[in-house]
Amino acid sequence: MSSDKGDAKFLPSRFTAELSREREFKVHRSVVCSQSSFFSAACDGPFVEATSRKIDLEDDDPIMVEKMLSYLYKFNYGLQRATPTESTLSSHAKIYALADKYDVQDLKGLAQTKFAAEVKDGWNDEAFSIAIREVYGSTPESDMGLRSIVSQSAKKNIKALMDRGEFMALLVEVNAFTVELLGAVLETPKVVPLTCHGHSRPITHLSFSSIGDDGQYYLISACKDNNPMLRDGVTGDWIGTFVGHKGAVWQARLSTDASIAATGSADFSAKVWDTHTGECLHTLEHNHIVRAIAFPPQPHAQILATGGAEKKLRIFDLSRSSNASSPTSPISSNGTLNGHGSSRGALPQSHEVGPGVYEGTIKSIIWQSDLNVLVTASDDKMIRWWDLRSRSPVNEYEVEGIVGSCELNKLSSEGTAGGGMLSVAAGKNAYFFDGHQPGRLFKTVKTPYEIASVALNIEEGRFVTGGSGDTWVRVYDFDEEAELNLYKGHHGPIWSVSFSPDGKLYATGSEDGTIKLWKFCSEPYGLWR
C-alpha cells in the first residue's frame, strides 16, 4: 500500500499499526486518520503515538484488525468460515465491535448490513448461538445495531430454535439476550396505516406488480366508480387514472414489468392499457360482466385470460388480431368500429377453455409459475386447474362457501418447489394450495368469521384476512393458525388484501372507498420512519 498524501506538520504520511512484536502493518496516515477519529487523535494529538509513529493494537484480534485496515483502503472486506462451529456471523460481529471501538462508522454500518443479510439463513445453524454470545459480549447495552437483528430473527424463528439444545443453553447463560427476546415476542407495536384517497365508491380489487430493475413496484386498484388507478406501491402516491370504462371495474392487474395493465368491468368488457401513457390498447368485448383477468407471469405479456358472469374462460392473444365479425366482436360487417373496440382497430383473437364446464361466475384467474397451468375460482364453489395445452382440467377442489378472493403469493417459499402458494378465501375458511403442484391442498384454516379476502406472507409465516361482515383486518400465524393482531381503520367490509412483492407491506381495499397500506416489517420502510 503506497500513498504520498499526508500533512507533514504533524506526522509523516506512513506509520505502523503494531499487532504484536512479530506482526505489524505499514499504513498511511492520510488514509487511516481520515476515516477514524481514534486514529486521527492518536496521530495528531500530544500522544506518544504521534512521535513513535506506532499504534499498539495488541489487545485486538489480528485477523479482524487486518480486515478493518483492508476496508480502509478497499471499502470492503471478505470473510471465510474459520471452523464448522463458527460461522462468519461471529466475524461480522467482531468487525462491528472493532469498528465501533476505533470509530470507523462506515465499516460499522457495512458489518451490520452483512450480518443482517447472513442471519436470514444463518439462524438455522448452531453458530447462530455463538454469534449471539459474541454480539452481547462485545457491544454495550446502548448499541442495538446487532442486538435488535438477532432478537428479531430469534423471535421470527422461535418455534424451531426452542427445540435446539445450544439455543436453550444460550437463554440460560446470556440474560440480556433473553430479556430482549422476551420483549420482542411480547411487543405489540401500534400500526398506523397510510390511507390512499381518490376513489369515490367501494374498492373491489388490489394487485401489486413485481419489483422492477429500478427497485420500484406499483399498485393498481379496481373500483365501482369505473376508474381504475395506478399508484406507487411503496408510498401509495397516485400516478394516474385509466379512463374509459362505463361500468364498475371488478378486477385490475399489472403485467410483471408493469408496462401494461388489464381491467375487467361490468360494462361487458376487458381493457388493456399502456401504463406509461394511459392509452387503451385493446377493448375486449364480452357478452356479460367481466369479473376476472390475468396476465401470464412474464415481461411484455401478450396473452390475457378473462372470465366472468358469462361463465366462460377465454384466452386472448394480444399480438394477433382478426377483423372477422363475431358475436363478441365490436367490429361490424363493414369493418368499422362500433365505438368500444380495440384502439388498434382490430380485435385480438381468442379461444375458450373448457366450454360448458362453469356453473357460476368466474371470480378469479391466476396463472401459475408453469405458464401452461391456469387456476380459476368461481361461484360454483370450485377451484379448477387447467392445462392450456390440452384445454382440459388437471385437478379441481370444492370449497365450502362462495369464493371471496383467490391470489398467488409471490414470495418464495420452501416446500412448494418455488411456485409460491395459492390462497383462497371462501366462507369462513382460508385455503392454501401448493403453487407448483396443481390441486395439492397445503392446509385449511377455519375461522369464526366470514372471510372476503386473504393474503399470505409465507416467509414471515403470517396471513392477513379481511372480513365481509365487519371492518377488521386480522393477522394470523400460519403455522399455529392463531389470530395474532386485530387492526381497525376501515369503515366497511374489506374486499381485497394483497402483499407487496417484497412482503414488507400489505394493502387493503374496502367498501368505504379507501385503500390502506400497512407496514409489515420492523425496520423503517417507505414513509414509515
Side-chain angles (χ1 to χ4, degrees):
M1 305 175 187
S2 61
S3 173
D4 294 326
K5 297 179 181 179
D7 188 343
K9 182 174 71 172
F10 291 102
L11 192 70
S13 63
R14 294 178 182 271
F15 72 96
T16 301
E18 189 173 66
L19 305 181
S20 68
R21 293 184 179 180
E22 294 79 26
R23 191 169 189 182
E24 61 182 26
F25 292 98
K26 300 291 186 181
V27 294
H28 297 84
R29 169 179 171 273
S30 60
V31 172
V32 174
C33 295
S34 64
Q35 300 179 70
S36 166
S37 62
F38 175 91
F39 291 126
S40 177
C43 296
D44 295 345
F47 305 106
V48 65
E49 289 84 0
T51 55
S52 67
R53 290 185 292 174
K54 288 186 178 182
I55 296 180
D56 183 1
L57 305 178
E58 291 186 9
D59 292 336
D60 299 308
D61 184 330
I63 296 177
M64 297 302 109
V65 171
E66 183 177 3
K67 299 299 181 184
M68 178 180 69
L69 296 177
S70 176
Y71 168 83
L72 296 176
Y73 282 86
K74 301 177 180 179
F75 305 106
N76 201 353
Y77 66 87
L79 293 174
Q80 292 183 341
R81 187 164 177 150
T83 68
T85 59
E86 183 176 2
S87 73
T88 50
L89 268 178
S90 294
S91 296
H92 290 311
K94 291 177 180 178
I95 292 174
Y96 179 91
L98 197 65
D100 181 66
K101 177 179 179 179
Y102 293 112
D103 195 26
V104 187
Q105 293 302 313
D106 288 344
L107 173 59
K108 185 179 178 182
L110 177 62
Q112 181 176 347
T113 299
K114 288 176 176 282
F115 186 92
E118 189 170 324
V119 86
K120 289 182 178 180
D121 296 320
W123 70 267
N124 194 24
D125 191 308
E126 62 180 289
F128 181 55
S129 295
I130 298 174
I132 292 174
R133 285 188 173 87
E134 179 64 38
V135 168
Y136 280 81
S138 62
T139 61
E141 292 183 7
S142 59
D143 190 337
M144 296 300 296
L146 300 188
R147 292 186 177 210
S148 62
I149 293 173
V150 294
S151 61
Q152 289 296 326
S153 178
K155 170 191 173 182
K156 176 181 174 182
N157 303 288
I158 189 67
K159 186 176 180 181
L161 288 170
M162 292 297 282
D163 291 331
R164 302 178 69 100
E166 81 280 355
F167 185 79
M168 296 302 293
L170 171 73
L171 294 179
V172 174
E173 297 170 18
V174 186
N175 294 333
F177 169 70
T178 306
V179 170
E180 288 173 9
L181 174 59
L182 181 61
V185 171
L186 295 177
E187 70 179 350
T188 54
K190 182 180 180 181
V191 177
V192 180
L194 301 177
T195 300
C196 307
H197 298 283
H199 285 297
S200 59
R201 297 203 62 204
I203 308 297
T204 54
H205 186 250
L206 300 172
S207 182
F208 285 98
S209 71
S210 298
I211 299 175
D213 294 337
D214 58 356
Q216 177 66 284
Y217 61 85
Y218 302 91
L219 173 68
I220 192 170
S221 56
C223 181
K224 290 185 179 180
D225 64 6
N226 308 354
N227 298 316
M229 291 185 179
L230 183 67
R231 298 177 183 274
D232 182 296
V234 177
T235 65
D237 290 342
W238 176 84
I239 294 175
T241 301
F242 301 104
V243 179
H245 279 298
K246 299 184 183 302
V249 178
W250 282 102
Q251 197 165 92
R253 295 191 188 276
L254 294 163
S255 60
T256 56
D257 59 1
S259 61
I260 55 176
T263 53
S265 172
D267 64 7
F268 291 20
S269 77
K271 291 182 182 288
V272 180
W273 311 83
D274 185 316
T275 57
H276 299 286
T277 65
E279 176 191 3
C280 180
L281 303 177
H282 303 283
T283 296
L284 313 175
E285 297 290 345
H286 292 64
N287 291 324
H288 214 308
I289 295 169
V290 181
R291 290 292 300 268
I293 40 88
F295 288 115
Q298 57 185 182
H300 313 297
Q302 291 298 310
I303 302 293
L304 182 71
T306 69
E310 66 179 358
K311 305 173 187 177
K312 293 181 180 181
L313 173 60
R314 298 182 181 275
I315 308 295
F316 287 86
D317 185 345
L318 305 178
S319 66
R320 301 176 62 190
S321 299
S322 170
N323 288 316
S325 178
S326 71
T328 60
S329 175
I331 304 173
S332 63
S333 57
N334 64 7
T336 61
L337 284 173
N338 291 331
H340 303 291
S342 168
S343 62
R344 299 292 176 85
L347 181 72
Q349 294 182 1
S350 69
H351 63 265
E352 183 180 355
V353 176
V357 169
Y358 290 95
E359 298 179 2
T361 297
I362 299 173
K363 301 280 283 293
S364 188
I365 303 172
I366 299 294
W367 233 294
Q368 298 208 223
S369 56
D370 181 347
L371 299 181
N372 294 309
V373 179
L374 199 64
V375 187
T376 62
S378 51
D379 273 348
D380 55 13
K381 302 180 182 180
M382 299 299 295
I383 312 299
R384 294 181 175 91
W385 288 260
W386 295 90
D387 187 323
L388 296 181
R389 293 163 295 193
S390 63
R391 302 187 188 181
S392 60
V394 294
N395 217 326
E396 62 182 24
Y397 187 95
E398 184 173 4
V399 297
E400 298 177 11
I402 299 299
V403 172
S405 71
C406 176
E407 300 290 340
L408 182 67
N409 163 55
K410 297 179 181 180
L411 301 177
S412 62
S413 61
E414 296 179 4
T416 57
M421 197 170 290
L422 190 75
S423 57
V424 178
K428 296 182 179 181
N429 300 327
Y431 299 85
F432 300 97
F433 296 90
D434 190 321
H436 184 75
Q437 300 181 37
R440 177 176 174 257
L441 180 65
F442 195 85
K443 71 159 55 180
T444 302
V445 179
K446 298 182 181 296
T447 76
Y449 320 101
E450 290 289 332
I451 302 176
S453 53
V454 61
L456 172 68
N457 184 325
I458 191 64
E459 290 189 343
E460 294 294 333
R462 302 286 187 268
F463 67 92
V464 179
T465 65
S468 59
D470 58 35
T471 63
W472 300 97
V473 177
R474 291 180 169 88
V475 180
Y476 289 83
D477 184 289
F478 182 69
D479 294 322
E480 301 297 331
E481 303 178 12
E483 184 179 313
L484 301 176
N485 298 108
L486 186 67
Y487 298 127
K488 175 68 175 176
H490 284 295
H491 299 284
I494 299 164
W495 302 120
S496 185
V497 180
S498 182
F499 271 101
S500 63
D502 60 6
K504 294 186 176 182
L505 64 81
Y506 61 90
T508 54
S510 170
E511 181 76 15
D512 64 14
T514 66
I515 301 165
K516 292 186 183 292
L517 303 181
W518 309 75
K519 187 165 79 82
F520 203 69
C521 57
S522 57
E523 69 271 18
Y525 186 74
L527 297 180
W528 291 277
R529 296 297 175 186

